[in-house]
Amino acid sequence: MHTDQTAPGSHAMPPLPRFLVAVLPVVAVAVSASLITQPNIPTWYAGLEKPAFTPPNWAFPVAWTLLYALMAYALWRILSLPETQPGRAAAIVAFFVQLVLNGMWSFAFFGGRSPMAGLIVIAALIAAILATIRAFWRLDRPAALLLVPYLAWVAYATLLNGTIWRLNG
């Protein structure tokens, strides 16, 4: 279970490097995804047929800002565990795998203008988020629970992505 206290002889990542490792990659994915997404919203995306349950465009950056903050904090909690903690390294790898897939979705869906490619990536993303939650749960339940809203949003986005693919295929 998580504790900010480390046992004698064990080492946790110091606070500043831990903050940088938790925040900078998440911010990099958020910024790169935004750079590829934003130009396509008023053009390609606006021209797609979308289901009635599509949220307004303003809801996406609001939701993603909150979700990215929760993701970074969850990783920060895992990074605060001793480096020798069994399962810690695997949990960190799982987190970064899902983060890469998260970024890849924007490039597939918006950059490639391909709802089908987006659907393939987002299906892999769901599996990776589930694996990350499972790995985090074994180490720090609050960190795992911080990822549940992310999983819920991506599940909703999967339904939206699939419906857009079906409507425009």
Side-chain angles (χ1 to χ4, degrees):
M1 230 1 110
H2 177 270
T3 175
D4 279 307
Q5 308 279 326
T6 58
S10 65
H11 299 285
M13 185 178 283
L16 181 59
R18 182 184 344 155
F19 175 80
L20 295 174
V21 169
V23 173
L24 292 182
V26 174
V27 169
V29 167
V31 169
S32 64
S34 179
L35 290 174
I36 199 72
T37 300
Q38 289 300 321
N40 286 291
I41 289 176
T43 57
W44 174 75
Y45 184 74
L48 292 175
E49 189 175 341
K50 292 178 272 311
F53 60 86
T54 302
N57 288 342
W58 64 262
F60 291 97
V62 172
W64 277 112
T65 298
L66 176 60
L67 295 171
Y68 283 133
L70 292 173
M71 290 164 60
Y73 180 52
L75 179 60
W76 182 86
R77 291 182 61 91
I78 297 300
L79 292 170
S80 71
L81 298 171
E83 292 176 7
T84 56
Q85 177 84 29
R88 179 184 179 272
I92 293 167
V93 167
F95 181 89
F96 282 107
V97 167
Q98 70 76 29
L99 187 61
V100 167
L101 288 166
N102 177 302
M104 284 176 57
W105 181 85
S106 295
F107 285 87
F109 187 91
F110 284 104
R113 295 183 173 193
S114 175
M116 183 177 11
L119 198 54
I120 292 166
V121 173
I122 208 167
L125 176 58
I126 290 273
I129 295 168
L130 286 167
T132 304
I133 289 171
R134 183 176 179 168
F136 279 25
W137 186 262
R138 292 178 181 140
L139 299 169
D140 180 69
R141 289 185 180 172
L145 293 172
L146 286 165
L147 298 179
V148 171
Y150 172 43
L151 175 63
W153 181 261
V154 173
Y156 169 69
T158 302
L159 176 62
L160 184 60
N161 187 151
T163 306
I164 289 171
W165 174 62
R166 185 179 50 79
L167 292 172
N168 296 276

